[in-house]
Amino acid sequence: MPVPAPAAKPEGEEPGSTELTGLFLEKPPDNVVAVSGTDVTFIAKVDSTTLTRKPTMKWLKGKWLDLGSKAGKHMQFKETYDRNTKIYTYEMKIIKVVPGDAGGYRCEVTAKDKCDSSTFEISVEAAQQAEQTDILSAFKRADAGEDEGDLDFSALLKAAKKKKPEKEEPEIDVWELLKNAHPSEYEKIAFKYGITDLRGMLKRLKKMKVEPKHSEAFLKRLDSCYSVDKGKKIVLKCEVIDPNVQVKWLKNGQEIKPSAKYVMEANGNIRTLTINKASLADDAAYECVVGEDKCFTEVFVKEPPVTITKLMDDYHVVVGERVEFEVEVSEEGAHVMWFFEDIELHKDMETTKYRFKKDGKKHTLIILEATLDDIGMYHAWTNGGHTKGELEVEEKQLEVLQDIADLTVKATEQAVFKCEVSDDKVTGKWFKDGVEVLPSERIKMTHIGRFHRLVIDDVKPEDAGDYTFVPDGYALSLSAKLNFLEIKIDYVPRQDPPKIHLDTTGNMVSQNTIIVVAGNKLRLDVEITGEPAPTVVWSKGEKPITESEGRVRVESRKDLSCFVIEGAEREDEGNYTICVTNPAGEDKAVLFVKIVDVPDPPEHVKCTSVGEDCATITWEAPKFDGGAPLKGYLMERKKKGSSRWTKLNFDVYDSTTYEAKRMIEGVLYEMRVFAVNSIGMSQPSLSSKPFMPIAPTSEPTRLSVHDVTDSTCSLKWLAPEKIGAGGLDGYIIEYCKDGDTEWVVANKDLCERQWYVVRDLPVGEKINFRVVAVNVAGRSPPAMLTQPVTIREIMEHPKIRLPRELRTKYIRKVGEKINLTIPFQGKPRPVATWYKDGKPIDEKIINVRNSNVDSILFIRSAEREHSGKYELVLKIENMEDRATIEIRIVEKPGPPVNVRVTDIWGFNAALEWEPPKDDGNCEITGYTIQKADMKTKEWFTVYEHNRRQNCTVSDLIMGNEYMFRIYSENFCGLSEEPRQSKNTAKIAKTGLVQKQTPYKEMDMSCVPKFTQPLVNRSVVAGYSTAISCAVRGFPRPKIIWMKNKMIIGEDPKYLMTNNQGVLTLNIRKPSTFDGGKYSCMAVNDLGTDEVECKLEIRIATDPDKK
């Protein structure tokens, strides 16, 4: 991923300053003015040193639109991480800014329980030109190709332009046309005036300020916009004034028909449109139409983030090889961005060395011919994932696996020169005595894989000479000699003893030893002389070879014996004897045939140690070296789960221990090894067990001494700054005497805490301490104290640290639990003693627990006798410290005493009382006074929290007699029982006369009036239905139901009800004959009123037959 510039830099503008707040180390500028058609980049940086997990960044437009779903050619997002500084850099790049990009934006970063955001504004200005440009040009796509600029729609329009003379037309404001036009006319206007980006223009039009118009049909309009994830459901809801009105729903100006995807519902005044399983095709403008009134909204469909399901592999190739980086993503057709280091790779680049391939979810970056300039890291990015792979390229180095051998052949025989090189793609030329050999009917040259052959049929004397093979592109040549064996026939006496004539040239490397490469053919022609013709016998060891056909055979000719092995194998190695006899004598020769082959694969490949980005691999040499000395080894590695092996070396490596580098920490790898000798390369070894490069942690931080005694030392530290993928298993604490070098481990098991007490230390010694962090990769560097620690307890005066809440009176209710923890300090351990009211406490009643640092006083259930002054005395030898705590246990008070009515006047009564005998061990805070009528004896509260011991009760009712009761109140609440007054208060009647006003009865007479009319209905035959209306009138009107102006009598098919003026006519299972006009008439003495409706009966149809 490329590291972007440090700030947003739209063309032609200097970056604004950023303010460092919250999680952001750097934020985008607050206001950016971009020129239409140019690129603009925004940068945000987050410091992750204090974060426990990777932060998540979102780029938003407005308050809701997540721009991550809009990633593509117009808008790109990048993310990089610097391991050294632990800074995440986020970049948003807008390609070729258009006016529709203007508006408010927000970048929001979250990390577990932390969150921060930054807002910024983008303004878009048109590019300055010599002539004034049309505003419509801003809505013609920049990538329209031939459609960019003025559009030539058809030859018909061209013909029309030729016929009509050019004349100046008045300027037309397309904005006004679109404002006033129906949505169905938008495309027609866009075609007429050359607008290609109609969607963008409609968005701009929507943002233009218009005067708010009062709606006559809608109580609540649709929201301005909606956002939904792809595949989810969304509901568009509005509220209309008339609950019976019908609405239409339009999408991009076209009416929507009800279906399983689009569900339209009407519930009272609410009208809803539900879109199920939203797709990108549903990203459109919607409107709800009621008559001439309408309301608009826009739905944005967000695509889910595309993740990478198959990671990129590393490649190790030679110059000129083809490289294919392949990844798989979670969605087909997703956009994948490729980068080489910090350079984006795309189809529009000037170079043609890169090819891009898409096959469903697979995306491939192809480098046709790798060069040394292509070495580096390649990245693949989606809007929800990232992977990378390393490419290593080395110069070609051609290795000769099999050299050309000298040949000795006779006339008319076939000569075959063969060699093998390491690269099967290398071509070459053959030369004889410096002159290029050209193919003919007798001379043929072949190239199959790594093998190059020169075949000469019907050898002639002039074919003898030096033959050379020169590979194309390499300063290398392979030479061999062709010897022509000329047979001379001399007169031989008839009695000539047999003789074997061995040619020591050709395949023989030493006297009587022949070396053959496994798989090659051995043909040994031995000249034999003797008269008469001798008998030839070949044998291997003691076993004669008599076969004339097969893989190992003997061919006999006149004066010549041929021993042939087709496809030599290891079992063919050994001593071969040729014995020739005739009557004149015998001759014998012994040949040793040595079979050389590629070696066996190496064994026991394993990883012995790992580092942060490296690993040490060892193996054992192959059991069989192929009969030729080993030249060395070739190594390959791959990520676990991948099928792509990467070469680690091109030159053979002669040791059995190798350190593999440039690996990624936390990723599982596998290794395999090849053995190489002069014949070729072995099969690969078995793959090693998967191993993971992991580094030990850094050293623990802030190691310090917490406490020292005569035999112990308490240490504290913090976790290492760098832990890595291996995690942290625990810590080892070690110590040694000052001046000594032998460290002693203090803990047998790993310590998982970040503190430890080292015990059994010698008194008065100076001791050095160190702490080591341990994980699967081993021990970290040690954290050490700057100077040794003297093991001697320090005398410290006793000091009680009384908590703030205990420095005042400590009040608790009866029955509550008391648990007081009093911390203190002092060395050596102080002796703590508790006293109550000057006497030692009874530990059977009150529990006390003392430790090195605190003393705990515990009372399970407090009683009032536990109240008193408690004193803690802390002593160290002749030094002491004291602290006093006053504890008061309280409960509810008793009732007041001597409650009485002291005076009565008018509608008032005066009460007095005395405090309760038991105040609950705390101050009385008030009284609650209640009164009750002697007739009803229901109690009502008159005063609460009355602090005085007297009160006046007012607003008493004349002629009634009252009694009173009073509750006491303290910190615990009201007393359990009240105290009732000894006497009562009777309010005497006075001579008052009531003057009644005459009562006039209201006239409720009313003419019958229908408040709810009958409504036309259409029902299915056979299904019961009902029609209803509402009427008012007084006296109660008489109700008459009629069908087609005929009064409905006592027909059992009809049921007529009247419930509080709501009239209902129930029709049981209507048929087609029950259709018609129904009316309802209300009649009383003041007049009549009538309403009617039409009832339509439909015949039910079978949907299957339809």
Side-chain angles (χ1 to χ4, degrees), residues 53-72:
R53 62 177 62 179
K54 178 183 176 183
T56 302
M57 171 66 78
K58 283 187 179 181
W59 294 89
L60 307 170
K61 183 175 183 182
K63 293 184 178 180
W64 52 271
L65 179 57
D66 188 351
L67 297 178
S69 61
K70 302 296 182 182

Side-chain angles (χ1 to χ4, degrees), residues 1005-1008 1033-1038 1082-1088:
S1005 300
C1006 177
V1007 178
F1034 191 82
R1036 181 174 180 176
K1038 178 182 179 182
V1083 182
N1084 69 1
D1085 296 339
L1086 300 179
T1088 62

Side-chain angles (χ1 to χ4, degrees), residues 356-407:
F356 302 89
K357 179 181 175 183
K358 288 184 180 180
D359 183 13
K361 297 181 180 180
K362 291 185 179 181
H363 294 253
T364 308
L365 169 65
I366 302 173
I367 304 176
L368 299 179
E369 294 183 357
T371 64
L372 295 178
D373 296 334
D374 297 325
I375 297 175
M377 196 68 72
Y378 289 78
H379 304 259
W381 288 85
T382 65
N383 62 354
H386 166 244
T387 182
K388 62 182 178 180
E390 185 179 10
L391 175 61
E392 296 182 2
V393 184
E394 293 192 9
E395 291 281 4
K396 288 184 178 178
Q397 294 182 358
L398 192 65
E399 184 179 355
V400 179
L401 303 180
Q402 181 180 348
D403 205 345
I404 306 174
D406 294 340
L407 297 178

Side-chain angles (χ1 to χ4, degrees), residues 698-708 713-721 731-736 743 746-747 751 753-758 767-773 780-789:
S698 61
E699 69 276 4
T701 59
R702 298 189 182 181
L703 176 62
S704 61
V705 176
H706 179 64
D707 191 15
V708 180
C713 181
S714 177
L715 303 176
K716 284 189 176 182
W717 62 89
L718 296 181
E721 291 184 354
Y731 302 92
I732 294 177
I733 296 88
E734 298 175 335
Y735 67 91
C736 75
W743 290 90
N747 53 323
C751 175
R753 305 182 301 272
Q754 292 179 7
W755 60 272
Y756 189 79
V757 179
V758 183
I767 304 294
N768 288 309
F769 294 93
R770 69 181 185 185
V771 179
V772 177
S780 72
M784 299 186 62
L785 293 174
T786 56
Q787 57 187 8
V789 180

Side-chain angles (χ1 to χ4, degrees), residues 246-250 255-256 264 287-290:
Q246 299 292 325
V247 302
K248 290 183 179 180
W249 292 92
L250 306 180
E255 185 174 355
I256 302 174
M264 306 172 190
E287 53 189 300
C288 180
V289 180
V290 178

